[in-house]
Amino acid sequence: MKSNEATPPVVVVDDDQEMLQIYRALLQGHGVGPVLTFDDGETLVLYLRRNEAALVVLDLALSTVTGRDLLPRLVEEFPHLPVLIITGLAEVGQAVSCMRAGACDYLLKPIDNALFLAAIDRALGLSEDENRLRRRRMPFPDIVTEDPQMLRLMKRAQAVSHTGQPVLITGETGVGKELFAEAVHRCSGKKGAMVTVNVAGLDDAVFSDTLFGHRKGAFTSAQENREGLIRKAAGGTLFLDEIGDLREGAQVKLLRLIQEHEYLPLGCDVAAKTDAGIVVATNRDLKQLLEQGKLREDLYYRLSCHRLHIPPLRERQGDIPLLLEHFVTLASRQMGKKRPWYPSELPRLLQRYHFPGNVRELQAMVYDAVALHEKGPLSLAAFRTNMSAPSGKGLTVEGHEIVTVIFNGFPSIKEAQSHLISEALRMSNGNQGEAATLLGISRQALNNRLRRRSA
């Protein structure tokens, strides 16, 4: 079945034909359309693989593939598609399970028309927001964010990708500099490939040979011609990573490449031309390197024409739940595992962590937790184990001095325990389950301590 409608349809799945007619009439009377109906889950999946949809209304009690089995498949294969669950079983646990599995809402039969239509409006609003966000991210499919500064950065990347000038991408280790380089290449419209070279530690000769190649006989072991990577980037983009570690001799050759769009292969007297775009990245402070005499001034200003600075993950904590969801789905798919759910405390726990390794560290945490997962929710302990201790930067007093400042003297165990409990409850906004997780004790143990403290 193929829809000819320009507007993606609302799809309703129920094996009760009478109910399908009721749903269709309700939706069309509400001004929602087009509406497609299916009485079989497998047919629905085949349809969605070839067509867009605005929303799926799914009954859990299907006679073939059940809605319980179908829901996680839909969420995994079509993550941007809202799924509204309808069931005749009034079980709180089932509702929680469906929401954790990815359903956008959950309604009980018999259906209250007003509640049903309100849920439809909410779900379609979600779909519209997702589609708008997806269109905004079109050249950035691998960058998961809703952070305003990141969205502005993506817009800037699109704008500078067409100028023909080099693009400098800066940011801490693990923030996603190569993903932005790929996005700049994609936005540029260049048909050639993006070729990546990590220049850290390359001396002048190795840098020249790697990038520009050599002619036979250029040096003792040069038994045949070698095309450099710049030739492979013809019509595309050359991405030089760790540019802050480039040696001085290589800096001169890079400057010529940027200014003249030409280079000399080793052993060749005739310059070769290139039309490759140049994108460079570093986690170092180039201005500081300039002041230290480790970076040429002319190269610094050539590289600084278009700068994209990616903020660290700790400055965009609102993205952490999105990234967590993304990596759990990705890890489960790559490992061939059923996608696990995780407790609501986990995103909040991660948002309080400083992430020195940024997005890459979060991804590693999630992959490790999914790899170790056997049943039930993802283990909070698996994440806590991988959380490195804060570096302590910015502290102006020694650790023992901090203790005496906080307590106005050295505390007793009882005083320290009371302070930790109060601080955990404050950080968790009074959520005792989350506070217990922070303290590394059970909720029952925390309740016992609270009772003794108030006695």
Side-chain angles (χ1 to χ4, degrees):
M1 189 187 325
K2 181 91 174 171
S3 172
N4 296 319
E5 300 285 349
T7 303
V10 170
V11 180
V12 185
V13 191
D14 197 313
D15 54 8
D16 185 331
Q17 292 298 324
E18 185 177 346
M19 286 304 301
L20 288 178
Q21 292 177 14
I22 292 173
Y23 291 135
R24 182 189 293 275
L26 275 173
L27 292 169
Q28 291 177 340
H30 192 56
V32 172
V35 179
L36 289 179
T37 59
F38 294 92
D39 59 6
D40 173 73
E42 292 295 348
T43 308
L44 167 70
V45 173
L46 292 175
Y47 170 82
L48 292 175
R49 285 172 180 168
R50 297 190 296 268
N51 301 270
E52 288 289 322
L55 166 67
V56 170
V57 180
L58 176 64
D59 191 287
L60 283 186
L62 298 177
S63 56
T64 52
V65 179
T66 69
R68 293 181 189 84
D69 295 329
L70 197 56
L71 174 60
R73 288 176 57 188
L74 294 178
V75 170
E76 180 174 349
E77 195 165 345
F78 314 103
H80 298 290
L81 180 61
V83 181
L84 170 61
I85 293 296
I86 293 178
T87 180
L89 295 176
E91 295 179 5
V92 174
Q94 182 171 259
V96 172
S97 176
C98 287
M99 298 299 283
R100 282 177 171 165
C104 69
D105 214 333
Y106 184 98
L107 295 177
L108 293 173
K109 292 180 179 178
I111 295 298
D112 179 286
N113 292 353
L115 290 178
F116 174 70
L117 294 175
I120 291 290
D121 287 341
R122 285 195 301 273
L124 289 176
L126 172 63
S127 178
E128 184 180 338
D129 289 343
E130 281 288 347
N131 286 334
R132 184 163 55 248
L133 193 59
R134 203 164 68 181
R135 285 193 298 271
R136 194 187 308 167
R137 293 183 188 147
M138 199 70 73
F140 307 85
D142 298 317
I143 299 176
V144 178
T145 184
E146 287 182 352
D147 181 76
Q149 59 182 329
M150 287 289 284
L151 295 175
R152 286 193 297 271
L153 196 63
M154 289 156 70
K155 186 175 180 180
R156 175 172 170 78
Q158 287 181 286
V160 304
S161 65
H162 301 283
T163 68
Q165 298 298 312
V167 177
L168 169 64
I169 303 173
T170 60
E172 295 178 7
T173 297
V175 293
K177 294 187 288 293
E178 187 165 355
L179 291 180
F180 264 86
E182 291 170 354
V184 169
H185 168 65
R186 196 178 295 114
C187 292
S188 71
K190 292 180 178 292
K191 302 301 181 185
M194 186 181 92
V195 177
T196 300
V197 185
N198 189 316
V199 300
L202 299 185
D203 61 28
D204 180 33
V206 176
F207 174 83
S208 299
D209 194 28
T210 301
L211 254 66
F212 308 142
H214 62 251
R215 294 294 174 262
K216 181 179 179 180
F219 45 87
T220 305
S221 59
Q223 303 298 320
E224 56 186 22
N225 292 341
R226 177 192 181 188
E227 287 189 350
L229 293 179
I230 188 68
R231 285 291 299 274
K232 293 185 179 181
T237 301
L238 179 68
F239 173 47
L240 302 177
D241 201 6
E242 305 294 352
I243 198 70
D245 297 319
L246 197 60
R247 308 286 178 84
E248 185 176 356
Q251 290 180 28
V252 176
K253 295 178 180 179
L254 176 59
L255 181 63
R256 179 180 183 181
L257 180 68
I258 293 172
Q259 291 185 156
E260 309 297 335
H261 298 284
E262 63 180 31
Y263 60 96
L264 276 174
L266 295 176
C268 186
D269 297 326
V270 180
K273 289 286 186 179
T274 180
D275 60 353
I278 305 292
V279 179
V280 300
T282 182
N283 59 10
R284 303 186 66 180
D285 185 338
L286 292 190
K287 190 170 184 180
Q288 187 177 70
L289 293 177
L290 175 66
E291 293 168 350
Q292 294 170 352
K294 296 179 181 179
L295 181 67
R296 291 177 60 94
E297 185 175 14
D298 45 8
L299 180 59
Y300 171 78
Y301 287 112
R302 290 295 295 179
L303 293 177
S304 299
C305 180
H306 300 311
R307 182 183 176 191
L308 304 174
H309 180 70
I310 306 173
L313 186 55
R314 63 182 170 274
E315 292 181 9
R316 48 188 180 99
Q317 293 183 342
D319 280 344
I320 289 177
L322 290 176
L323 288 162
L324 173 62
E325 187 74 17
H326 172 71
F327 288 138
V328 168
T329 300
L330 203 60
S332 303
R333 184 182 302 136
Q334 291 179 2
M335 296 178 194
K337 288 189 168 188
K338 183 178 178 181
R339 185 187 179 284
W341 61 275
Y342 48 82
S344 60
E345 293 92 343
L346 179 56
R348 292 194 286 270
L349 175 67
L350 294 173
Q351 284 177 313
R352 286 190 291 272
Y353 180 56
H354 61 297
F355 280 105
N358 292 289
V359 178
R360 188 182 297 144
E361 183 181 8
L362 174 59
Q363 181 178 12
M365 282 184 184
V366 172
Y367 272 61
D368 185 56
V370 172
L372 297 174
H373 177 262
E374 294 180 354
K375 62 181 180 178
L378 280 180
S379 168
L380 294 178
F383 286 87
R384 282 199 298 268
T385 298
N386 286 313
M387 288 181 176
S388 60
S391 63
K393 289 181 180 178
L395 296 179
T396 56
V397 292
E398 297 295 328
H400 69 275
E401 293 175 326
I402 295 172
V403 171
T404 56
V405 166
I406 291 174
F407 293 97
N408 194 28
F410 197 82
S412 67
I413 290 177
K414 184 176 180 181
E415 288 171 334
Q417 177 181 277
S418 179
H419 175 79
L420 287 173
I421 290 173
S422 297
E423 187 65 13
L425 288 169
R426 184 191 65 78
M427 292 174 67
S428 61
N429 296 317
N431 185 315
Q432 292 187 10
E434 190 176 342
T437 299
L438 288 172
L439 293 165
I441 60 178
S442 69
R443 182 166 181 166
Q444 182 61 45
L446 174 60
N447 287 332
N448 291 339
R449 284 171 170 79
L450 288 171
R451 279 196 296 272
R452 286 199 296 270
R453 192 169 70 166
S454 61

